[in-house]
Amino acid sequence: CGAKPTTNWGQTPINVVLDTNILLDLALFADPRCSELWADLKQGRLRWLSTAEMREEFTRVLDYEHLARIRNRRGVTVTSLLDWFDHHAQICAVASRAPYVCKDPDDQKFIDLAVAHQATLYSKDKYVLALKNRLARLGIVVVSLN
């Protein structure tokens, strides 16, 4: 991953990885529990790392029927949400397998990227959260906004 410019007066932003549920909370639901995270991303204090595979998952999830109804009610399009993603995410190469394996293979990519870049991992997934103590041994902080 190449570094994006930072706007926080020369300080190096903290790398973060955001799972798909956190992205939905930020972009679609505007969950107030994400307000500080959103402010830090916008101000450049955090650098959101992602992969093409994570973007594809986000795209796929946005078409789930219940989320499509919410999008329609709010007047939000898939295109606008993907533009938001592309504007804020820094796309990285797929990371090597981390030493700890998640019970849900769909969530492994978030763990792998966080470990590869020593990034804070934001997740609401129970299987990711179950690895919180093990990932801490690798210096990875796992944050849940539940």
Side-chain angles (χ1 to χ4, degrees), residues 4-8 11-18 36-49 88 90 120 122:
K4 279 189 178 177
T6 178
T7 58
N8 60 350
Q11 296 176 1
T12 302
I14 296 167
N15 290 334
V16 297
V17 173
L18 310 175
E36 187 175 334
L37 171 62
W38 180 232
D40 287 342
L41 285 167
K42 287 193 312 186
Q43 294 300 316
R45 291 183 289 270
L46 301 178
R47 180 187 303 127
W48 166 24
L49 306 180
H88 294 287
Q90 181 174 328
T120 299
Y122 285 79

Side-chain angles (χ1 to χ4, degrees), residues 98-114:
Y100 298 112
V101 177
C102 187
K103 286 185 181 180
D104 182 349
D106 288 335
D107 292 320
Q108 187 65 44
K109 61 186 162 284
F110 301 104
I111 293 167
D112 296 341
L113 191 64

